[in-house]
Amino acid sequence: MGAPRHGGTRMRWLLGAAAFPALFLGLVLGMAELPEFGDPGSPASTHVSPRFIEDAAAETGAANMVTAVLADYRGYDTLGETAVIFAAGLGCLVILAAAGGRPNPPAPGMSHPFGSVILDTATRILVPVVLLFAVYVLIHGHISPGGGFQGGVLFGSGLIMMRLVWGPAHEGGTHRPDVTAFGPSLRGSLILACAGILGYAGIGLAAMAFGGEFLNYGTLPLGSDPAHVRELATLGIEAAVFLTVAGTVGVLFDTISIGMRESGVPLGSDRGPRE
Amino acid sequence: MTTYAFAAVLFTLGIAGMALLPNLLRKLLAMNVMQVAVIVFFVSLAFKDGATVPILGQGGDPQAAEFMNPLPHTLMLTAIVVSVSTTGLALGLLVRIRSRFETLNERQLLDKLR
């Protein structure tokens, strides 16, 4: 860090040429001690996971064991992960939008309209399909690959696609007067994300209110079959995760595009001097 | 073993990129490569010979040997989305740095900071 201005470069590459092959060798040597690839008797496959595999469907009503583990057995962990994602969105908001001195700036898209008929038509056709597929991935997460995280990211990517082609989602924001901007503004995305994380914690607290532990959904008064109750609560959790992820993706995109417009130069053009 | 070695290659490339590349944006991309290495490693730990994806088919009594381990898949599912968000936050920081110091080159930044 306190190195002289340009003297450190050669030293750094020499050091790297020695250190990183050594690191690689160490990793490979360590991996020689790991159980064979695909060994059904490896410790990872014999301790907790048999219980998940054999009992998950009967206990939680979810045929997709990954969803069962994610939203039910390890629901507390997933609450933390969701909070991390939400915090990343908030952090970006504080770094870029709030520090810019404008309390509630309108959400700009990327600054320039593309104005192409092909792009415009392709977006009109693709975006509804993407958004609908996102909701399908969320709802079908019990019985096929999918769930809140995947669906939320898909939904967010659909929103980003519209922002990129049609511009920001505020009044008069579209580049094409005949196209109405759709999708939440920055404020709307933030509200979505908040609703998601609050809903997640709320389902956990509701389970406590009915006499169970935090996030132990079995006690919720949603029916008599415990597996079915857990299935419904899992769907609620996945929907909350969906909202948080979709909202956070929107917040991240909007704040970064605000920041890029204010700094004036797109990030990609910075190459820096090469020596 | 091959997948473990592949994960090791990716991990080494990622760490080397983070340490050696001068541009902060490239350091961030290298960090993403490193995260992918960890994901490859975890998912390959979940693999079992003769087992299928951990989604129960029609009825039946599931046996542990028939399905892959769902736990690493769950952990990596959240890890991927968390990595997306942390990348977004890092990009936000880069935009701030870029607008304040007009460079993302590490050496120029250090010069401007002193």
Side-chain angles (χ1 to χ4, degrees), chain B residues 70-86:
Chain B
L71 187 56
H73 289 155
T74 311
L75 297 178
M76 289 309 102
L77 168 60
T78 49
I80 289 169
V81 183
V82 167
S83 113
V84 168
S85 322
T86 49

Side-chain angles (χ1 to χ4, degrees), chain A residues 85-238:
Chain A
I85 292 163
F86 180 65
L90 275 191
C92 222
L93 188 73
V94 169
I95 290 168
L96 288 169
R102 293 190 302 172
N104 187 22
M110 294 305 194
S111 316
H112 304 292
F114 291 106
S116 147
V117 176
I118 297 175
L119 261 182
D120 192 63
T121 313
T123 311
R124 277 169 192 256
I125 296 171
L126 273 179
V127 162
V129 180
V130 169
L131 297 186
L132 192 66
F133 184 64
V135 177
Y136 163 79
V137 165
L138 161 70
I139 293 175
H140 223 243
H142 283 74
I143 43 183
S144 69
F149 285 101
Q150 300 94 319
V153 170
L154 266 173
F155 198 86
S157 66
L159 295 181
I160 288 179
M161 195 180 202
M162 284 186 289
R163 297 284 168 89
L164 281 174
V165 177
W166 293 337
H170 62 95
E171 323 78 70
T174 46
H175 306 301
R176 297 262 319 267
D178 56 324
V179 175
T180 311
F182 175 78
S185 60
L186 175 55
R187 180 186 283 257
S189 302
L190 196 60
I191 291 174
L192 273 187
C194 290
I197 190 90
L198 283 177
Y200 197 144
I203 292 174
L205 290 174
M208 279 174 89
F210 288 102
E213 295 97 3
F214 186 57
L215 289 172
N216 185 359
Y217 323 122
T219 53
L220 290 173
L222 295 171
S224 52
D225 177 14
H228 187 61
V229 170
R230 286 181 172 276
E231 190 180 347
L232 286 176
T234 304
L235 184 60
I237 291 292
E238 294 277 11

Side-chain angles (χ1 to χ4, degrees), chain A residues 14-30, chain B residues 8 12:
Chain A
L14 280 177
L15 207 64
F20 295 113
L23 171 71
F24 178 70
L25 266 182
L27 285 175
V28 169
L29 286 179
Chain B
T12 314

